[in-house]
Amino acid sequence: MENELEYEQDYGLAVKNGLIVGAIFGVFAILLYVIQESLLANGMLGIVLILVNLIVLGILGVRYRKAVGGYLSFGDAYKAIFVMVLVCILVSTVFQILLHQVIDPSLGERLTQIGVENAEAMMRRFGAPEDQIQESLQAAREQNNYSIGAQLMGVLYVGVIGNAVITLILAAIAKKKPEEEY
């Protein structure tokens, strides 16, 4: 019974960390929107933000281990970090939904247009055939990646499936076995 209570408190820390990181990334997205909305469609910035997020979550995983006594099995690290990352994704998705559905409902259309223009420039740079370019651009224009349904599907794919893989790496970083006595 005591262990169950201990784990509830530990997962509370994971939830708290996930809430904080998710809110920070959500507020950052809103700041990018205010500064220059086209930054939200910048692929390189997206990659940098993913890397920063992974580094922050790795650091928080190690801090979590220290907070629970300095030792953490791989399984316990995996569970705690999975919760942390999932909460982070859910919170940042709430911010995204607010941004795209409440603050500026036409933002998705503008970002889609920027994305289409960027994709066209890249395909032309790589010498793609014109018919393939036009077919790809038409498909991109018809896709609404910023609807609530699309964003929630993103949570499913990124939050559950992608999270499972990323969490393996982060749990391997956070785990630490106690040194055995001889």
Side-chain angles (χ1 to χ4, degrees):
M1 184 71 172
E2 190 175 307
N3 273 349
E4 289 177 24
L5 180 60
E6 190 176 305
Y7 280 122
E8 282 181 31
Q9 292 169 345
D10 296 345
Y11 289 125
L13 179 60
V15 169
K16 178 183 166 189
N17 286 339
L19 286 170
I20 292 168
V21 174
I24 289 169
F25 277 91
V27 168
F28 188 71
I30 291 173
L31 285 174
L32 288 176
Y33 165 74
V34 170
I35 293 168
Q36 185 177 356
E37 68 185 37
S38 64
L39 291 172
L40 294 169
N42 185 314
M44 289 304 287
L45 181 60
I47 291 169
V48 168
L49 288 176
I50 289 170
L51 291 174
V52 167
N53 195 21
L54 291 175
I55 291 167
V56 167
L57 290 167
I59 290 168
L60 288 175
V62 171
R63 282 189 172 175
Y64 176 86
R65 178 190 71 216
K66 291 176 182 175
V68 297
Y71 300 106
L72 197 60
S73 71
F74 179 80
D76 287 340
Y78 185 85
K79 287 183 237 176
I81 293 171
F82 189 88
V83 167
M84 190 181 342
V85 175
L86 190 60
V87 169
C88 175
I89 290 168
L90 289 172
V91 170
S92 63
T93 300
V94 167
F95 275 88
Q96 291 295 326
I97 289 172
L98 285 172
L99 179 60
H100 292 279
Q101 305 303 318
V102 177
I103 296 171
D104 189 348
S106 65
L107 177 62
E109 294 171 18
R110 294 192 307 276
L111 293 178
T112 298
Q113 183 57 37
I114 292 168
V116 166
E117 291 168 3
N118 291 344
E120 180 178 15
M122 185 175 66
M123 287 188 280
R124 292 197 187 286
R125 260 193 313 255
F126 288 119
E130 187 64 30
D131 60 326
Q132 185 180 14
I133 291 173
Q134 293 309 317
E135 185 179 316
S136 296
L137 296 179
Q138 184 60 33
R141 283 186 193 102
E142 292 171 359
Q143 223 173 2
N144 184 1
N145 293 323
Y146 302 100
S147 70
I148 291 175
Q151 289 179 324
L152 292 177
M153 287 303 290
V155 168
L156 176 66
Y157 291 125
V158 173
V160 177
I161 298 168
N163 182 8
V165 174
I166 297 300
T167 303
L168 288 171
I169 298 165
L170 295 174
I173 293 168
K175 75 170 176 64
K176 183 176 181 182
K177 294 181 185 180
E179 295 180 25
E180 296 185 47
E181 295 180 27
Y182 294 99

